Each structure stands twice: as C-alpha cells, then as structure tokens.
Amino acid sequence: EVQLVESGGGLVKPGGSLRLSCAASGFTFSSYSMNWVRQAPGKGLEWVSSISSSSSYIYYADSVKGRFTISRDNAKNSLYLQMNSLRAEDTAVYYCARGEGSTSSYWGQGTLVTVSS
Amino acid sequence: QSVLTQPPSVSAAPGQKVTISCSGSSSNIGNNYVSWYQQLPGTAPKLLIYDNNKRPSGIPDRFSGSKSGTSATLGITGLQTGDEADYYCGTWDSSLSAGEFGGGTKLTVL
C-alpha cells in the first residue's frame, strides 16, 4: 500500500524557515517524481514544486522560487521542502504527492504551516 | 487566478448526471494529459481520472473524463450524496514549466 506521511509543519514567524519532510513507503520511491502541493485555508490547490526521480529536473512555482528548495533522499525514501523567508501567504496545508507524468497519483494527509507573528 | 478555469459550483439531484468543465490553453490542456481530483471535506485530494479519461483502480465507472482541444470535462452519473466534494482539474503547463490546477468546483447533491 502506497503511504506518504508529511511532517515538519508548525507555527513560524514571518521571515522564518521551516523544513518539511515526506516519508514514502509501499512503492519504489526512486522510480517516481514527487510533488509538493499546498492549499491555503478555504482556498484551492496550488502546485508548489516537483522533482524528478533522480533529482535531475526540479521545478518551482513563481510564488516560491528563490525561497523554497525541494530535495529528496532516495536511500531514505524521503522528500523534503526547505522553506525560507516565509510569508503570511505561505500559510497552508502542504501535501506531498507521487508524480506520474502530469498526475499526482497518491497524496499524503498534509501538514499545516502557519506563518504568523 | 488559476490558469485553468472551472465553474465555482455545480449542483444536481441524487441519481442525476453532472459535468464539470476545465478550460485552459494550448500550453497546458492542449498538449498535456489532464487529471481530476476529488477532495471530500476535511480530507486530502484523491485521484479520480488520469491521462484525460483513465480511472485508477477502485474508482467506479460513474466517473468519466474527456478532453477536446484546450478543454476537459469530468462527468459523474448516478449522483450520490457521498459525491459532495470539491473537484479539481490538473495538468502541466509546458510554457511555464509548472504544474497547474483549476480553481476547483464545489459539487452539491441536492
């Protein structure tokens, strides 16, 4: 069974940093691209970033480019999102999802990031 | 403002059929596969349709997808109260090198 478990969310002050993690199991992690998608309270889904299976290709939404860094450790079956210079508008539930082409086939339960003073 | 345009809401009676549209452009829907996701209240999104019209294992055939040009459509037949949820279309935008989601459509089963 495919499982994705996010962690690392919490309350952080504007300008602060946070590192999210996503632990994957139930599939060959190193064979799949991975995505981060977020959802602000009461709002729709927003794609944040994607990383290919070998980390050769990395993409970011303009809203986070230069502030967020996606990475992965295939030996640890883990995906990460380093978030710096956080803003109030980054407040959201952050989901990791397994990528298959343009599809996010499996999603984690999400971790809440709140940016507030 | 989403690159992909969906109606904010749709509604229909139990047992009826509803369609949800997703409009984009040649750089996204026109040249990439479309997926559809269902998000029940308080839960994570779940994949309903991938590659325009394919259903993952376990998704009933009441759900269907289609694509024509730069638009895609999700169809749901035999509506049930349990289908009340937010539905999102998604794809890749080749010009922006970015993933894209529609703004979401809230389905109400009256």
Side-chain angles (χ1 to χ4, degrees), chain A residues 59-97:
Chain A
Y59 306 95
Y60 297 101
D62 285 346
S63 57
V64 306
K65 203 171 292 183
R67 299 187 300 123
F68 290 11
T69 302
I70 190 173
S71 63
R72 63 191 295 162
D73 186 334
N74 287 344
K76 294 183 178 179
N77 291 341
S78 293
L79 174 72
Y80 306 102
L81 187 67
Q82 177 67 42
M83 304 186 296
N84 298 331
S85 303
L86 283 161
R87 307 166 179 167
E89 53 265 37
D90 295 318
T91 294
V93 173
Y94 284 74
Y95 297 101
C96 73

Side-chain angles (χ1 to χ4, degrees), chain A residues 39 44-45 47 95 102-104 107-108, chain B residues 33 35 37 39 44-45 88 98-99:
Chain A
Q39 186 170 35
L45 302 176
W47 172 82
Y95 297 101
S102 59
T103 295
S104 290
W107 299 61
Chain B
Y33 287 120
S35 304
Y37 305 90
Q39 187 174 33
Y88 295 90

